[in-house]
Amino acid sequence: MKVASKAKAPARTFPRVSYLVKELERALRARIDEILQPFRLTAVQYTALSVLSVHAGMSSAQLARRSFVSPQAANEMVGALERRGLIRRHVDSGGGRALSIFLTSFGERTLARCEDQVDALEARFLRDFSGREEALFRTMLRTGRDAVRVPRTGPDGQGAASTAKPRRVARIGGEK
C-alpha cells in the first residue's frame, strides 16, 4: 500500500505581495491627491480627463468603466467637470441619446499641468529602476492584475475577459 506523501504548503512571505501593492497604491494616491489639490481635481476626475485625452468622444457610461466608477458617479463627475469648463458634451452623431464627451482647451491645459507633475512623481518612483526593470515591473503588474480579474461572462456564458484584447488607457486610468 502506497501512502501519499504530505506535500508541504509553501511558507508565506511577509509582507504579503497584496499588502505591498496596497501600500504602494496608497502612497502614490496620497502624492497624486497633493498634486491635484491646487487644480481642485480629485484623482477620479484626473483619471477621467486622462482617459478623455486618449479616447475623446466617449459616452458617460464608457467613461465610467475606464475611470473605475459607477455610471451614477460618472454622471455627477461629468456634470462637475462640465460646470468647471474642463469638458464639453455633444449629441452623439449616431442619433442615439448618448452624449459624446470631449476635453475643452481649458481642460487640455489643466490636464497638461497635472501630467507634468504626475510624470515627475512617476520618474521619482522609478528612478532606481533600469529601463529593463521598469518594463519588467509593468509586465509583472499587468500579469498579476489579469490573473486576479473576475472574468465577465458573455451572452454565451463564456468568459469575455479571457478573449478580450488589452485596452490602452491613460496613465492613472490604467496602463498606457
Side-chain angles (χ1 to χ4, degrees):
M1 182 166 146
K2 202 172 192 181
V3 177
S5 64
K6 290 185 179 181
K8 215 175 185 185
R12 287 192 181 110
T13 305
F14 290 95
R16 287 182 173 271
V17 170
S18 55
Y19 184 82
L20 293 171
V21 168
K22 184 62 180 179
E23 268 191 320
L24 174 60
E25 186 272 335
R26 287 180 57 95
L28 284 172
R29 176 68 184 261
R31 296 292 303 143
I32 289 170
D33 287 344
E34 289 172 14
I35 288 168
L36 298 175
Q37 187 178 20
F39 300 99
R40 297 178 326 157
L41 288 172
T42 66
V44 172
Q45 291 171 331
Y46 166 71
T47 299
L49 296 177
S50 295
V51 169
L52 287 169
S53 74
V54 176
H55 302 283
M58 300 182 115
S59 69
S60 185
Q62 292 167 321
L63 185 59
R65 285 189 292 278
R66 294 280 178 110
S67 300
F68 312 110
V69 296
S70 70
Q72 296 82 2
N75 282 330
E76 291 175 20
M77 174 184 62
V78 165
L81 293 172
E82 188 174 38
R83 283 189 296 279
R84 290 197 46 212
L86 296 164
I87 62 169
R88 60 181 163 44
R89 293 188 271 188
H90 290 285
V91 175
D92 190 1
S93 59
R97 294 181 349 178
L99 296 174
S100 299
I101 306 168
F102 300 88
L103 291 177
T104 62
S105 57
F106 177 58
E108 289 172 352
R109 288 191 311 271
T110 300
L111 178 61
R113 291 173 58 204
C114 294
E115 294 283 29
D116 289 343
Q117 292 184 46
V118 173
D119 287 347
L121 172 63
E122 285 191 5
R124 190 170 71 217
F125 165 62
L126 296 167
R127 72 177 166 227
D128 292 333
F129 288 56
S130 69
R132 182 181 172 145
E133 288 169 331
E134 180 183 340
L136 181 59
F137 183 64
R138 288 175 186 275
T139 298
M140 291 174 5
L141 287 171
R142 287 183 192 113
T143 300
R145 175 207 58 204
D146 293 347
V148 298
R149 271 194 173 149
V150 176
R152 288 178 265 154
T153 55
D156 60 357
Q158 299 297 313
S162 61
T163 58
K165 291 183 180 177
R167 296 182 292 171
R168 296 185 69 109
V169 189
R171 283 184 189 94
I172 298 236
E175 75 269 9
K176 198 167 186 179

